Structure formats: structure tokens, C-alpha cells
Amino acid sequence: MATVTRHPLPNLRALNFTVKGLLGDGVAARHRFDPQAKGLAEWLRSRHLDIPETLL
């Protein structure tokens, strides 16, 4: 099961998310490019969602 951890970056007015357990050991376990992780990141980046006005 994947665990998602949210990391607020208040000085950047941004959030970073870490997804553990979704891609196995991931790119850090190998010395080669990890296309599975890149594909997941691109899919997440392309999502559209409504942001409440209170956050803007």
C-alpha cells in the first residue's frame, strides 16, 4: 500500500508530496533513469483541480 506524505513549503507557497510504496525501491535504488517514476510524475503534473479561493 502506498503512503502519501505532504510537505508544506511556506516560503515558496507550495507543497511537495512524497509517495512511498508505489514504485518499489524507485530511482534511488538504481544508477539508471527510472521511466516508471517519471511517467507517474508527468501524469500527476498534468492533473487539473479546483482550488478554493481561500487558498489563493
Side-chain angles (χ1 to χ4, degrees):
M1 178 170 181
T3 302
V4 178
T5 305
R6 184 178 79 162
H7 305 278
L9 304 168
N11 292 337
L12 299 175
R13 294 173 49 183
L15 296 171
N16 183 52
F17 292 91
T18 304
V19 182
K20 293 186 179 185
L22 185 63
L23 298 174
D25 292 334
V27 70
R30 298 176 198 79
H31 296 288
R32 66 172 181 79
F33 174 70
D34 188 348
Q36 185 180 17
K38 179 154 175 52
L40 173 63
E42 287 298 318
W43 178 82
L44 288 171
R45 186 191 60 78
S46 69
R47 301 296 94 188
H48 294 270
L49 59 121
D50 294 325
I51 300 174
E53 280 189 40
T54 57
L55 295 178
L56 300 176

